[in-house]
Amino acid sequence: MTEREKMLAGEPYLATDPELVRARSFARRALRRFAATAPDDVVGREAILRELLGSFGPAAYVEPPLFVDYGAHLHVGARAYLNTGCVLLDCARIDVGADALLGPGVHVYTATHPIDPEESARGPELARPVRIGAKAWIGGSAVILPGVTIGEGATVGAGSVVTRDVPARCVAAGNPCRVIRALP
């Protein structure tokens, strides 16, 4: 398997692999172009995002600046909104559902490292997919860790650190993030 195939399969991989370095460089160039677009250049912004991202749904909107590792593994659903300063480290797939809202500065991490210090020092990384369900609302500066699923219609409070799955139709907040109440 290539390092990219290992990464996407959730196996230990080396991020220093030349193919992965080239893919991240491509993303950085596209993100610089995206950040440099005029605020009213919606067509230009969408064109860059469609080139960069795995998929970008109709009427979805992303406020620059945006940061991704690869972009190709990020899938943004129809009418989803990502506010300014979002960081989505897409070493594994990230799905942002239709009508989902991400506040400013939301961070979504798929990359993780071995816990064993000797193994970690050798350089391998791991990646676990993240899913944000349709109509979910993620408050500003929330952090979503690798492997987490946010259920459809869930609300995650600003500043939360989401370490485990959040069920559908609930309000969750805190560090670590915990369900506060269910929604009707």
Side-chain angles (χ1 to χ4, degrees):
M1 293 176 83
T2 67
E3 296 302 309
R4 181 178 185 278
E5 289 169 337
K6 290 177 192 175
M7 177 179 77
L8 295 173
E11 300 294 325
Y13 69 95
L14 296 174
T16 56
D17 175 72
E19 176 189 9
L20 295 177
V21 171
R22 282 190 303 277
R24 288 193 305 274
S25 294
F26 171 82
R28 301 299 183 278
R29 288 190 300 276
L31 291 170
R32 280 194 298 277
R33 289 192 340 264
F34 178 69
T37 58
D40 61 348
D41 186 6
V42 176
V43 173
R45 285 181 176 182
E46 283 187 12
I48 293 167
L49 292 173
R50 289 187 193 291
E51 171 190 342
L52 173 65
L53 304 184
S55 61
F56 187 70
Y61 194 82
V62 177
E63 293 280 358
L66 170 70
F67 186 86
V68 298
D69 267 338
Y70 300 96
H73 313 127
L74 173 56
H75 301 271
V76 178
R79 299 168 308 282
Y81 178 77
L82 281 66
N83 209 326
T84 188
C86 286
V87 174
L88 294 101
L89 301 185
D90 63 325
C91 300
R93 186 178 176 114
I94 298 174
D95 288 297
V96 178
D99 300 301
L101 306 170
L102 277 64
V106 167
H107 287 211
V108 179
Y109 305 144
T110 63
T112 186
H113 300 271
I115 294 173
D116 177 83
E118 285 73 29
E119 185 179 357
S120 185
R122 287 193 295 275
E125 296 181 13
L126 300 160
R128 303 285 184 257
V130 170
R131 182 180 177 281
I132 299 171
K135 300 179 184 171
W137 178 21
I138 312 300
S141 297
V143 176
I144 301 172
L145 296 184
V148 166
T149 294
I150 308 292
E152 182 174 335
T155 296
V156 173
S160 295
V161 177
V162 187
T163 60
R164 59 179 66 140
D165 292 353
V166 173
R169 301 194 55 79
C170 73
V171 176
N175 181 3
C177 187
R178 299 200 188 288
V179 172
I180 296 171
R181 66 183 168 98
L183 297 173

